[in-house]
Amino acid sequence: MKIKIMSKTHVKPTKPVLGKKQFHLTTFDLPYLAFYYNQKFLLYKFQNLLDLEEPTFQNEVVENLKDGLGLVLEDFYQLAGKLAKDDEGVFRVEYDADDSEINGVEFSVAHAADVTVDDLTAEDGTAKFKELVPYNGILNLEGLSRPLLAVQVTKLKDGLTMGLAFNHAVLDGTSTWHFMSSWAEICRGAQSISTQPFLDRSKARDTRVKLDLTAPKDPNETSNGEDAANPTVEPPQLVEKIFRFSDIAVHTIKSRANSVIPSDGSKPFSTFQSLTSHIWRHVTLARGLKPEDITIFTVFADCRRRVDPPMPEEYFGNLIQAIFTGTAAGLLAAHGPEFGASVIQKAIASHDASVIDARNDEWEKSPKIFQFKDAGVNCVAVGSSPRFRVYEVDFGFGKPETVRSGSNNRFNGMMYLYQGKAGGISIDVEITLEASVMEKLVKSKEFLLSEEEEEDDGKKLTNGNGHVNGNGNGYVNGNGNGFV
């Protein structure tokens, strides 16, 4: 793929925000300093190809995006700022229109004249579009000297791609998509955004935590599983894939999980609990773990409504916390999907304000920067959320053909959930696994909701609730990835 960078500029708020603005990073933000920038990839197909001709593309499409960005940054000005820290090692995000070291958002324009939209929708992993997304392998800590947001707009033969890299120490997925939808809203002609961000981080956690991060460790320095205890072992080859579960497939999975009435009177399992239990169980089976091996399920959960007092949905920053639970692989394999769903449900339900506060108190006494291995042994970890309306991000040239995560922040067992483009409750699951495990997973007819059962070494794998053909298998094999 030939990609040529045509220009690289910076965009600041159209009307300068007066005065120096400083916001200390909270306990919800700081653990992500040594992760990589959070990358997103949106692919758009143009109905009117004349919009891709020059100078129309530059003068109308690109300038409209830049003008809209400048306007929306008046409200989201923290993204136009930088990371800073004081002499005690307390980190903050700051914006000062008079600071010559603050350049704003990095905005690049590129051309890939021979590439079509279909060329990119047909790809499984992220390798093909890696050059279309900025800041590959860049740690969030580098926000001390780099912009907190980098955008690359690449013109294709019949559309464009938008690659974005957000500093994950500054914002989470909820804030990311609030920003994206607001930017798109302005580009479509709105005079102002419909929902203002809530910028005061101190309302979520008002503490000053001192960190020494002169040389952060590589968050991906060890692999998931037994090799984590032996750093001399060559890490396994990881591959990425996206599984598209149709509306009917998700309904089928949810009905199976809820076919057994809980004896403890607990609530019916949600779509999230049902689908992630289905995935957790089948990944565990594909890994071929021993019955006594522990497998961990981790979800990076939004805590806006969990903290006390609750924070508004519009809170700008990170307000997520990892919820961990686990069980023996043998138990997960021996039971139907309701078992894993129950384990997940109980862990999520118990993660209330008191648990969140206790976790924060513990972390502040002994700060620990996250590494991927902290997600847990033999883990399946979940980021992003299908409730993010990613296919409604329309900048004026239509809704995206696909929305993906970039190549950063991938590890064995990490998956992202996205709203399915097909609508309803369809969900796209981007997941990264060892190549040998992925090979087994894509052959599992039960995982794919095929009529026939998969045999593994002569042992029948069954979900205990029969099998339903989910609308052409309820699955379309396409693209793939993972992390919020």
Side-chain angles (χ1 to χ4, degrees):
M1 181 187 301
K2 293 182 179 180
I3 299 173
K4 183 178 181 180
I5 301 295
M6 307 302 293
S7 66
K8 182 177 291 187
T9 57
H10 290 83
V11 178
K12 295 182 178 181
T14 303
K15 294 180 181 178
V17 180
L18 299 178
K20 188 174 184 177
K21 308 293 184 182
Q22 296 183 336
F23 302 87
H24 286 112
L25 297 187
T26 73
T27 314
F28 294 101
D29 299 311
L30 293 169
Y32 302 99
L33 277 168
F35 271 33
Y36 300 109
Y37 271 67
N38 191 19
Q39 298 172 311
K40 300 300 174 188
F41 173 81
L42 293 86
L43 176 64
Y44 293 90
K45 189 165 189 174
F46 277 33
Q47 298 303 313
N48 184 4
L49 296 183
L50 293 177
D51 289 339
L52 294 169
E53 298 290 336
E54 297 295 357
T56 303
F57 182 75
Q58 179 62 41
N59 293 345
E60 296 185 15
V61 177
V62 172
E63 289 305 314
N64 185 52
L65 287 172
K66 292 174 72 173
D67 290 346
L69 179 57
L71 289 170
V72 80
L73 286 174
E74 294 177 16
D75 299 303
F76 291 88
Y77 59 83
Q78 290 185 23
L79 278 177
K82 68 175 183 179
L83 291 183
K85 63 177 179 177
D86 60 24
D87 293 338
E88 295 181 325
V90 177
F91 281 81
R92 64 183 182 272
V93 57
E94 66 180 29
Y95 176 80
D96 184 352
D98 296 324
D99 187 342
S100 61
E101 293 184 359
I102 295 179
N103 296 317
V105 172
E106 182 179 296
F107 194 100
S108 302
V109 179
H111 289 182
D114 297 328
V115 181
T116 67
V117 169
D118 288 345
D119 289 337
L120 298 172
T121 54
E123 175 67 15
D124 252 354
T126 57
K128 194 163 189 177
F129 64 79
K130 188 172 182 178
E131 294 179 74
L132 302 172
V133 185
Y135 286 16
N136 292 292
I138 301 299
L139 294 171
N140 293 312
L141 185 63
E142 295 188 45
L144 290 166
S145 58
R146 289 178 180 267
L148 301 179
L149 169 60
V151 180
Q152 179 179 321
V153 174
T154 304
K155 182 173 73 170
L156 308 178
K157 197 171 185 178
D158 56 351
L160 68 75
T161 67
M162 185 177 289
L164 307 106
F166 294 87
N167 191 298
H168 202 343
V170 175
L171 77 169
D172 59 14
T174 298
S175 294
T176 294
W177 293 108
H178 179 196
F179 167 78
M180 290 295 291
S181 62
S182 299
W183 181 13
E185 190 177 19
I186 293 294
C187 288
R188 292 197 308 271
Q191 297 300 306
S192 60
I193 63 175
S194 56
T195 307
Q196 290 288 323
F198 183 90
L199 298 174
D200 189 353
R201 294 170 189 256
S202 67
K203 298 298 184 183
R205 190 78 178 178
D206 193 9
T207 53
R208 286 171 53 86
V209 182
K210 303 173 185 179
L211 291 177
D212 179 13
L213 283 178
T214 52
K217 295 180 178 179
D218 180 354
N220 200 25
E221 70 170 7
T222 54
S223 61
N224 182 4
E226 294 180 359
D227 292 348
N230 186 359
T232 62
V233 175
E234 186 72 19
Q237 178 191 359
L238 299 181
V239 295
E240 309 144 11
K241 202 164 192 67
I242 188 165
F243 297 97
R244 302 188 188 278
F245 289 90
S246 69
D247 185 274
I248 289 179
V250 174
H251 276 293
T252 298
I253 291 168
K254 188 174 181 180
S255 66
R256 288 180 182 174
N258 284 289
S259 64
V260 178
I261 299 175
S263 58
D264 58 2
S266 57
K267 295 180 181 179
F269 301 122
S270 68
T271 297
F272 174 85
Q273 293 157 7
S274 303
L275 179 61
T276 54
S277 170
H278 176 81
I279 298 166
W280 185 22
R281 179 173 182 270
H282 284 283
V283 168
T284 299
L285 288 167
R287 282 174 168 161
L289 302 179
K290 299 175 183 176
E292 66 272 18
D293 287 342
I294 298 299
T295 173
I296 301 298
F297 179 90
T298 305
V299 56
F300 292 85
D302 184 3
C303 295
R304 284 166 175 77
R305 311 307 297 173
R306 294 176 183 271
V307 294
D308 185 20
M311 288 290 101
E313 184 74 8
E314 302 79 33
Y315 175 89
F316 185 82
N318 285 288
L319 241 177
I320 56 175
Q321 200 171 70
I323 299 176
F324 304 95
T325 189
T327 188
L331 290 175
L332 202 61
H335 293 84
E338 72 283 351
F339 177 83
S342 178
V343 173
I344 294 169
Q345 183 186 67
K346 286 179 171 60
I348 293 174
S350 65
H351 202 80
D352 57 17
S354 63
V355 173
I356 294 170
D357 285 342
R359 176 87 65 81
N360 285 336
D361 289 340
E362 179 184 8
W363 192 90
E364 289 161 4
K365 291 175 183 176
S366 180
K368 180 181 180 182
I369 300 303
F370 286 165
Q371 292 178 266
F372 295 156
K373 65 180 181 180
D374 296 323
V377 67
N378 300 317
C379 82
V380 167
V382 185
S384 194
S385 171
R387 67 183 177 85
F388 299 150
R389 314 319 293 175
V390 299
Y391 285 102
E392 296 176 13
V393 180
D394 178 358
F395 291 92
F397 36 79
K399 297 181 179 182
E401 295 295 313
T402 191
V403 178
R404 302 279 301 279
S405 298
S407 60
N408 283 351
N409 297 317
R410 296 183 177 281
F411 61 91
N412 187 4
M414 185 65 219
M415 65 175 172
Y416 293 118
L417 304 185
Y418 282 107
Q419 169 193 25
K421 193 187 178 197
I425 61 170
S426 63
I427 295 175
D428 292 348
V429 179
E430 298 183 341
I431 190 164
T432 301
L433 294 169
E434 292 182 27
S436 59
V437 174
M438 187 73 80
E439 184 180 2
K440 292 179 182 178
L441 193 65
V442 298
K443 292 179 180 178
S444 171
K445 296 176 181 178
E446 186 183 346
F447 174 68
L448 306 180
L449 302 188
S450 298
E451 290 181 305
E452 298 177 25
E453 295 176 337
E454 184 67 53
E455 299 286 329
D456 181 15
D457 295 329
K459 179 181 178 181
K460 184 177 291 185
L461 303 183
T462 175
N463 60 27
N465 292 313
H467 301 269
V468 178
N469 182 6
N471 190 23
N473 300 339
Y475 157 85
V476 178
N477 185 5
N479 320 324
N481 354 46
F483 205 60
V484 60

